[in-house]
């Protein structure tokens, strides 16, 4: 991992207890890249077995393999301020959100609140 994370979706097979370490590695290897205004990304949360894998999926969708976009609700909110691939208006197309919502209802509701508080667009599908 010293050279960074280069393959997509390698986090998907991690057991839930290993996800915090994955997110720690992602933030350590995060390199500031140009923030894209009005960025639109799509994630599919079918099969996610931990609350934090949402952040893995979103980080990868925004910033590519090993991409980082928060490792909790405060981090998610902070990433909307710039330096993490997006700035200004941001749109997330969230596929299979019902699956995630059924597994993690309180965390799902909190994610929705972060998007609302930051005036970001969340398309649930």
């Amino acid at each position: 991992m010293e050279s960074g994370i280069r393959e997509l979706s390698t986090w998907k097979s991690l057991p839930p207890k290993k996800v915090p370490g994955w997110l720690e590695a992602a933030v350590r290897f995060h390199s500031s890249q140009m923030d894209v205004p009005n960025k639109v990304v799509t994630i599919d949360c079918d099969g996610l077995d931990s609350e934090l894998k949402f952040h893995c999926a979103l980080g990868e969708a925004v910033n590519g393999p090993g991409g980082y976009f928060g490792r909790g609700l405060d981090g998610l909110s902070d990433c909307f301020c710039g330096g993490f691939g997006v700035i200004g208006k941001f749109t997330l197309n969230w596929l299979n959100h019902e699956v995630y919502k059924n597994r993690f209802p309180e965390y799902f509701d909190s994610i929705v609140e972060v998007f609302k508080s930051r005036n970001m667009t969340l398309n649930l599908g």
Side-chain angles (χ1 to χ4, degrees):
M1 300 254 304
E2 289 178 12
S3 63
I5 303 164
R6 297 174 191 233
E7 293 181 33
L8 290 171
S9 302
T10 54
W11 52 268
K12 284 185 178 180
S13 63
L14 293 175
K17 67 181 181 180
K18 299 271 186 176
V19 175
W22 174 264
L23 290 168
E24 179 65 28
V27 74
R28 285 182 186 211
F29 290 111
H30 172 78
S31 60
S32 292
Q33 54 187 347
M34 183 170 298
D35 289 329
V36 176
N38 305 314
K39 191 162 194 169
V40 177
V41 300
T42 300
I43 62 170
D44 186 342
C45 286
D46 187 30
L48 299 188
D49 59 359
S50 80
E51 292 173 335
L52 294 180
K53 283 190 179 179
F54 165 83
H55 297 279
C56 297
L58 184 57
E60 189 170 273
V62 172
N63 295 307
Y68 178 81
F69 209 81
R71 56 182 159 185
L73 299 170
D74 289 338
L76 173 63
S77 184
D78 290 346
C79 285
F80 289 129
C81 296
F84 291 93
V86 301
I87 193 142
K89 198 69 176 156
F90 174 77
T91 299
L92 173 63
N93 298 314
W94 190 345
L95 305 177
N96 292 306
H97 77 281
E98 291 114 355
V99 174
Y100 191 85
K101 181 179 182 177
N102 289 335
R103 288 183 182 147
F104 313 105
E106 290 177 23
Y107 203 72
F108 174 85
D109 290 343
S110 296
I111 291 168
V112 171
E113 285 305 312
V114 169
F115 271 77
K116 285 182 181 176
S117 72
R118 289 294 188 164
N119 199 29
M120 301 300 170
T121 301
L122 184 58
N123 296 322
L124 303 174

